[in-house]
Amino acid sequence: MSGTSSLHWLIGRLDLSSLPILPALANPTPSEIVAAVAALMVILGGLGVAVLITWRGWWTSLWRDWLTSTDHKRIGIMYIVLALVMMVRGVLEGVVMRAQQAAGLDGGFLSDGHFAELFSTHGTIMIFFVAMPFIAGLINYVMPLQIGARDVSFPMLNQVSLALTAIGAALVMISLVLGKFSTGGWPAYPPYTGIAFNPGEGPDYWIWSVAIAGLGSTLSGLNFVVTIFKERAPGMKLFDMPLFTWTVLCTAIIMVFAMPPLTVATLTLALDRYLDFHFYTNDLGGNMMNYVNLFWLFGHPEVYLLILPAFGIFSEVISTFSGKCLYGYKSLVYATMVISVLSFTVWLHHFFTMGQSAHVNAAFGVASMFIAVPTGVKVYDWMATMFRGRIRLTVPMIYATGFLTLFVIGGLTGVMLANPTISYQVHNTLFLVAHFHNVIIPGVLFGLLAGYHYWFPKAFGFRLNERWGAISALFWITGFAFTFFPLYVLGLMGMPRRSASYVDPSFEPLTWVAMFGAALIFCALATLLIQLRVSIRDRAQTQVPLGDPWDGRTLEWSIPSPPPEYNFAIVPRVVGRDAFAEAKERGQGYPKPAGYEDIEMPRNTMLGMVVLIGGTALGLALVWYIWWLAVLSLVVMIGAFIAKSFVPEPHRIIPATEVAAAHEAWLAAIAKASPVTRAQETSAENRGLAALEMPEGAA
């Protein structure tokens, strides 16, 4: 075997040109410099985190308490940390794209290929590695608490699902340092991602990051469905569940049925690229439209997979901070069910321009318009909940009011685009970009940030800083408006999407307005991080160990903050809806149990870390054609699963005496505490025991 052949066998198609820093040194164009700076940020950021952990001596605790934990709460927090890290990159890429288009009349500073890579990574990251893990994290943390469960049904599978999602995120981040990412957009349409058009590593990074993460989402969906059906507290009927849990159930069902088409689409595209199959080519029986149908059979239910949990969060936030039970509970549940079903019937509106018959377009156009009806029901129910309520304009409520205003505008433009004739005219313009972001940012992102602020004190035992939170929320709201409202006008003027430059000078003024909005969004992200830093620094003044800082209505507020590993010292017995609120009204919010029992909890396991390391190695090996590494990593992961199946006693026992001591100490602290009114909610007096104040007509 020659030296060249040996090297190829060892490192596949990797070479020095795969490092973006070297091309920047050899040919320092603005585009190459931007790519090199991004790669350095990833490298230095990773090294900085490793140095900090080593300096603080956190490695042992990180491994024991987090990386090997099967506790749904810790797994949920790790999902959210992953989402926030990826959001930093996604927002920065969005700012760079807006800057490029603001300078686009003169050609800008990015090459066309680099701009295509940016909008591909931005969309992929924000959908698959910000929104999805953020949602999975909130669901993981909150849903078992709301139904009175000790954990999800399959704790070890939960850990593996997180690992699979993290593998996908890792591959996307590594693509900044080794090689380049896809230029085929976040849907990765062939022929742009076919081997003939793009033989490089970019589409392969997209395929394996999305395929592996998608498998994790499918497994999470199964886990959530089983947990809700099988782990609810005694007495909790389906129509006694909180609205957030209902949206989680419908979301999880969408996960189970919508993610497999994405897996099929990505793997068949991989077969085209790796083994010369012809699923999506113009010859040998291939048809590119098969990919488009498969992708959007996932892609449109995906939109509701993202938005439904946000709807659930807004339901909880609006009810709590209006001091009222949720108006129209059953209509909200039925509307959620209807949206879930209809989400599978509208995918074809994503390609009204592809040449199908007018009858087909009309049918999907009607379905696309009809899906707005149950969403409208929700909006009216939320407004009715706020009507005559004692509204407290906390940070979550700022996001909720911004959502109600901006999301309705996005929904109305969606109804416009459901008309095939209108869609045909504006489909490939910035109008569509504005509409999509008008739904995703106020709908999904604002909902996730509202949930982050709402449940943060439950997770960590102290409240986030309200002042910095309000500043960040206002930056998000105004930044969104300045960034994306001009794109509606630009789209109607004919400016195409995915365009790095343009020749019409009339586009330029509004692109600069959008650039100003992007700067505001960057400030929103920066102030969000500042808020977290300030909150950690001042946490001694904002601690809420008693567990109920907002006068909550559902079971997660009936336990200490942060909750013990086992969640509930005694599994609650639920009677009716809003169980904790009703118990507080009866003066039975904090009953003393008659006795305690030993609690069985799952042991820690390193299986998730084996999957994370092995799966990342497998993904890189497949991207760079390092076949020995692919085989080795696959064997290691399969071997780990087989070995784990032979490990006895996967559970450990927490003695009743330990449970009793912790719970009795918490009850004693509540007995000594003075409840705080809503006026004191954001003050240092709020230790997590809210005074019962029901407005007139609240029921």
Side-chain angles (χ1 to χ4, degrees):
M1 184 181 291
S2 67
T4 303
S5 299
S6 299
L7 188 63
H8 179 74
W9 178 85
L10 183 64
I11 63 173
R13 54 178 172 173
L14 270 172
D15 56 37
L16 290 178
S17 65
S18 304
L19 299 171
I21 298 174
L22 298 181
L25 295 175
N27 181 29
T29 64
S31 191
E32 294 292 351
I33 291 171
V34 170
V37 169
L40 281 173
M41 288 175 64
V42 172
I43 295 170
L44 295 177
L47 288 175
V49 170
V51 169
L52 176 64
I53 294 173
T54 303
W55 177 52
R56 292 283 192 173
W58 289 341
W59 284 113
T60 301
S61 175
L62 183 65
W63 177 264
R64 182 189 64 242
D65 298 333
W66 293 92
L67 299 181
T68 60
S69 175
T70 55
D71 184 347
H72 72 96
K73 300 181 292 297
R74 293 184 183 272
I75 288 174
I77 291 170
M78 287 189 283
Y79 265 117
I80 294 172
V81 170
L82 173 65
L84 292 175
V85 170
M86 299 302 289
M87 185 166 71
V88 171
R89 178 181 170 185
V91 168
L92 290 176
E93 288 181 335
V95 172
V96 173
M97 284 191 291
R98 294 277 74 81
Q100 164 63 27
Q101 289 195 324
L105 184 61
D106 298 320
F109 54 91
L110 296 179
S111 66
D112 292 345
H114 193 178
F115 187 78
E117 187 181 354
L118 274 178
F119 67 66
S120 301
T121 52
H122 174 77
T124 302
I125 286 170
M126 296 305 286
I127 295 295
F128 293 108
F129 302 112
V130 175
M132 290 289 285
F134 212 141
I135 287 167
L138 287 175
I139 292 174
N140 256 296
Y141 198 97
V142 176
M143 179 268 290
L145 298 179
Q146 285 198 334
I147 64 173
R150 298 209 188 280
D151 208 321
V152 294
S153 291
F154 308 114
M156 193 184 304
L157 182 65
N158 202 22
Q159 187 193 73
V160 170
S161 298
L162 170 63
L164 293 171
T165 303
I167 290 167
L171 291 175
V172 175
M173 295 302 284
I174 291 171
S175 71
L176 272 177
V177 180
L178 287 178
K180 296 182 178 181
F181 198 73
S182 174
T183 57
W186 82 274
Y189 287 163
Y192 305 113
T193 53
I195 194 70
F197 187 91
N198 192 341
E201 70 281 355
D204 300 321
Y205 267 121
W206 184 92
I207 287 170
W208 299 115
S209 63
V210 171
I212 294 171
L215 178 59
S217 297
T218 305
L219 296 176
S220 291
L222 290 167
N223 208 348
F224 297 152
V225 170
V226 175
T227 299
I228 292 173
F229 281 134
K230 303 297 289 185
E231 307 295 337
R232 297 195 308 277
M236 179 176 279
K237 301 173 184 177
L238 285 175
F239 277 87
D240 291 335
M241 296 194 308
L243 231 299
F244 178 73
T245 300
W246 258 113
T247 59
V248 169
L249 176 59
C250 293
T251 296
I253 293 171
I254 292 175
M255 282 184 182
V256 172
F257 288 100
M259 298 307 297
L262 176 66
T263 303
V264 171
T266 54
L267 294 183
T268 48
L269 183 59
L271 289 173
D272 272 14
R273 291 181 58 83
Y274 284 77
L275 297 177
D276 199 29
F277 280 49
H278 290 272
F279 288 107
Y280 310 123
T281 61
N282 282 332
D283 59 344
L284 299 178
N287 188 337
M288 289 175 285
M289 281 304 298
N290 289 337
Y291 179 91
V292 177
N293 273 282
L294 277 172
F295 183 86
W296 287 114
L297 187 55
F298 144 80
H300 203 83
E302 160 79 0
V303 174
Y304 294 98
L305 187 161
L306 301 178
I307 201 72
L308 286 179
F311 286 170
I313 292 167
F314 287 126
S315 298
E316 302 294 335
V317 165
I318 289 171
S319 175
T320 298
F321 292 111
S322 297
K324 291 175 62 178
C325 63
L326 199 58
Y327 182 88
Y329 170 90
K330 287 191 176 181
S331 65
L332 286 165
V333 172
Y334 290 133
T336 302
M337 294 180 183
V338 170
I339 289 172
S340 302
V341 173
L342 289 180
S343 71
F344 287 91
T345 69
V346 297
W347 81 90
L348 196 134
H349 72 219
H350 288 276
F351 44 100
F352 276 150
T353 61
M354 296 294 188
Q356 55 274 352
S357 73
H359 296 295
V360 173
N361 280 353
F364 280 86
V366 170
S368 301
M369 294 177 188
F370 187 69
I371 203 169
V373 175
T375 306
V377 169
K378 287 177 173 286
V379 171
Y380 283 112
D381 280 340
W382 290 322
M383 291 193 297
T385 302
M386 290 190 287
F387 181 64
R388 292 184 176 176
R390 290 191 59 191
I391 296 174
R392 294 106 76 195
L393 205 58
T394 57
V395 174
M397 276 299 282
I398 294 174
Y399 281 112
T401 52
F403 153 76
L404 285 172
T405 303
L406 297 173
F407 182 79
V408 169
I409 298 172
L412 291 174
T413 60
V415 174
M416 293 169 59
L417 289 169
N419 185 319
T421 57
I422 296 176
S423 181
Y424 195 91
Q425 294 296 318
V426 300
H427 186 82
N428 201 39
T429 72
L430 286 176
F431 188 94
L432 195 70
V433 175
H435 158 71
F436 181 75
H437 286 83
N438 203 167
V439 173
I440 293 297
I441 293 180
V444 179
L445 183 60
F446 287 8
L448 295 174
L449 291 174
Y452 164 74
H453 286 81
Y454 182 57
W455 282 300
F456 188 95
K458 176 53 57 181
F460 296 101
F462 61 94
R463 291 176 284 107
L464 287 168
N465 184 279
E466 283 285 318
R467 179 172 173 270
W468 278 107
I471 292 171
S472 181
L474 293 174
F475 269 131
W476 280 114
I477 293 169
T478 56
F480 163 80
F482 276 104
T483 302
F484 294 102
F485 284 167
L487 301 192
Y488 282 119
V489 181
L490 286 168
L492 292 175
M493 292 169 64
M495 184 172 177
R497 56 178 172 156
R498 309 189 187 102
S499 178
S501 59
Y502 47 88
V503 296
D504 188 342
S506 66
F507 294 158
E508 188 175 34
L510 287 176
T511 63
W512 278 102
V513 174
M515 178 60 221
F516 171 69
L520 294 179
I521 290 178
F522 175 79
C523 293
L525 178 64
T527 50
L528 189 71
L529 298 177
I530 291 171
Q531 179 205 25
L532 180 60
R533 175 68 186 90
V534 170
S535 301
I536 294 172
R537 183 195 67 193
D538 300 338
R539 62 188 180 277
Q541 288 78 45
T542 57
Q543 291 185 357
V544 287
L546 303 183
D548 183 24
W550 312 130
D551 191 19
R553 308 185 63 81
T554 46
L555 289 177
E556 72 268 28
W557 305 110
S558 68
I559 55 178
S561 295
E565 178 188 1
Y566 44 82
N567 295 344
F568 299 90
I570 299 294
V571 174
R573 178 167 291 278
V574 175
V575 179
R577 200 179 305 146
D578 285 346
F580 184 47
E582 293 185 3
K584 288 190 291 184
E585 289 178 29
R586 297 192 303 268
Q588 300 173 351
Y590 305 98
K592 184 174 182 179
Y596 299 88
E597 297 179 351
D598 293 345
I599 298 175
E600 185 181 83
M601 297 299 296
R603 293 181 182 274
N604 284 14
T605 175
M606 59 184 295
L607 181 62
M609 287 304 298
V610 173
V611 171
L612 174 59
I613 296 170
T616 304
L618 175 63
L620 283 174
L622 291 170
V623 167
W624 295 104
Y625 300 173
I626 309 174
W627 305 120
W628 67 268
L629 181 59
V631 173
L632 177 62
S633 55
L634 193 61
V635 168
V636 168
M637 287 191 291
I638 294 173
F641 277 103
I642 294 173
K644 187 62 182 176
S645 68
F646 287 97
V647 175
E649 297 182 4
H651 296 86
R652 61 188 180 85
I653 301 298
I654 300 176
T657 53
E658 181 181 330
V659 175
H663 192 66
E664 294 290 341
W666 175 65
L667 290 176
I670 288 175
K672 294 178 182 178
S674 299
V676 296
T677 64
R678 289 181 172 84
Q680 302 169 298
E681 196 167 60
T682 58
S683 68
E685 285 76 18
N686 186 357
R687 306 290 289 176
L689 183 63
L692 186 64
E693 297 180 30
M694 296 297 291
E696 293 182 9

